[in-house]
Amino acid sequence: PPAVVRGTTRLFLDTADEAAWDEHLCMGIYHGVTTNPVLLEQAKVECTIPRMQELAHSALNRHGLDEFMIQSWGATTDSLVKVGEQLASIDDRVVVKVPLTREGIAAGSILSKDGARICMTACYSQQQAFVAAGLGVEYVAPYLGRIGDQPKNDGSFGRR
C-alpha cells in the first residue's frame, strides 16, 4: 500500500519560560520553540547572545526539538543584521525572527542572502505577508487577530 501522507503543520511553543517548556514540550506536538525580547523580559531571561546560546542548546539538545526561533533586536538595519548573524551562527537549527518593519525587511533580505534561516514576524497585514513572501524567507508569522482588525476597502472590519 502507498505511504500515508500526513500534514506538515509545525507548531511552536511561544515562550522563553523554561518551566513552561518542561510542562508543555513533553506532549510531543511541538516542532520547536519561538521567543522574542518581550517574552524574554516577561520570563526574566537576559536578552544576550550567550543567554540565547544557552536557550537554544536547551531547546534543541535537552528537549530534542527540531528548531529554535529567536527574534533579532535593534532599532536599525545594521543592528538587526549584526545580532541576526550572531544568532544564526549558534546552530543550523536556529531560525532568526526579524520584524516586518522597513529596517527589518532590509535586514531580513541581507540575512537571507547570507544564508541565515529567517522568519519575518509581526505581520499585521496582507501587504506585509506579500512582502515576506517576496523576500523568499522560510517562515512568516502573521498575527491573525490583527489582520482581521484591518479595515476593508468598504470601511468594514474583519471577516465576512
Side-chain angles (χ1 to χ4, degrees):
V4 176
V5 177
R6 302 196 189 279
T8 57
T9 301
R10 295 177 179 178
L11 298 178
F12 289 83
L13 185 61
D14 192 20
T15 183
D17 181 349
E18 290 185 88
W21 295 8
D22 292 336
E23 179 181 352
H24 297 287
L25 293 176
C26 62
M27 295 187 324
I29 64 170
Y30 294 100
H31 182 76
V33 169
T34 180
T35 193
N36 62 51
V38 172
L39 294 175
L40 291 166
E41 183 178 354
Q42 289 173 352
K44 297 180 178 24
V45 174
E46 192 177 14
C47 188
T48 64
I49 299 298
R51 189 64 178 106
M52 295 310 96
Q53 290 170 325
E54 292 170 5
L55 278 182
H57 178 77
S58 177
L60 299 169
N61 300 319
R62 185 167 78 89
H63 290 285
L65 296 174
D66 294 313
E67 293 180 329
F68 178 71
M69 290 192 186
I70 177 65
Q71 186 170 322
S72 187
W73 57 85
T76 66
T77 297
D78 289 342
S79 60
L80 288 167
V81 169
K82 181 179 177 185
V83 171
E85 289 171 340
Q86 292 175 72
L87 294 171
S89 72
I90 292 172
D91 190 284
D92 290 342
R93 298 168 291 173
V94 169
V95 178
V96 180
K97 292 168 52 177
V98 184
L100 268 162
T101 61
R102 181 177 300 277
E103 295 79 11
I105 292 165
S109 177
I110 292 166
L111 289 165
S112 183
K113 287 177 185 170
D114 288 346
R117 299 179 66 200
I118 302 297
C119 172
M120 297 305 294
T121 191
C123 179
Y124 298 115
S125 71
Q126 295 167 348
Q127 292 84 358
Q128 285 178 309
F130 183 75
V131 169
L135 288 173
V137 298
E138 192 168 346
Y139 293 99
V140 60
Y143 290 21
L144 296 178
R146 302 267 179 93
I147 289 174
D149 293 339
Q150 298 297 314
K152 305 294 180 203
N153 288 338
D154 65 1
S156 66
F157 287 82
R159 294 173 193 78
R160 295 182 210 197

